[in-house]
């Protein structure tokens, strides 16, 4: 069985790409613009939020290299 010509394969690929693009656009218009929109800000008023922020800040501070004040002079 002979393989399809390059032109036939290209035409098939173009049709498939158009189908995929249409599907993606319809899904994009049905859902929120970005998945993070569902999560962003949802914890701001919850109990323990400020504590979580403070613990995160403390953890990041612990990860920073310590500066030796004597060596800086």
């Amino acid at each position: 069985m002979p393989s399809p010509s390059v032109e036939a394969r290209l035409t098939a690929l173009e049709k498939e790409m158009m189908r995929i693009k249409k599907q993606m656009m319809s899904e994009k218009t049905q859902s929120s613009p970005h998945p993070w929109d569902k999560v962003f800000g949802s914890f701001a008023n919850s109990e323990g939020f400020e504590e979580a922020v403070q613990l995160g800040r403390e953890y990041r501070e612990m990860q920073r290299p310590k500066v030796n004040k004597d060596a800086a002079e």
Side-chain angles (χ1 to χ4, degrees):
M1 174 176 192
S3 62
S5 68
V6 173
E7 290 83 8
R9 292 172 54 202
L10 181 59
T11 300
L13 283 171
E14 288 173 340
K15 286 180 183 178
E16 183 66 13
M17 283 301 299
M18 287 302 294
R19 186 190 67 76
I20 292 170
K21 284 182 179 182
K22 285 180 184 177
Q23 180 182 354
M24 288 178 65
M25 291 305 292
S26 70
E27 289 174 2
K28 192 172 188 177
T29 56
Q30 292 173 1
S31 64
S32 70
H34 196 277
W36 279 107
D37 290 342
K38 296 176 185 176
V39 178
F40 184 76
S42 62
F43 302 106
N45 296 324
S46 68
E47 189 175 318
F49 177 75
E50 291 301 322
E51 181 183 2
V53 170
Q54 180 62 33
L55 290 171
R57 186 176 295 121
E58 290 172 8
Y59 176 77
R60 289 188 301 276
E61 287 291 324
M62 288 189 314
Q63 300 304 308
R64 292 184 181 156
K66 304 293 184 225
V67 177
N68 188 346
K69 292 181 182 180
D70 294 332
E73 295 175 356

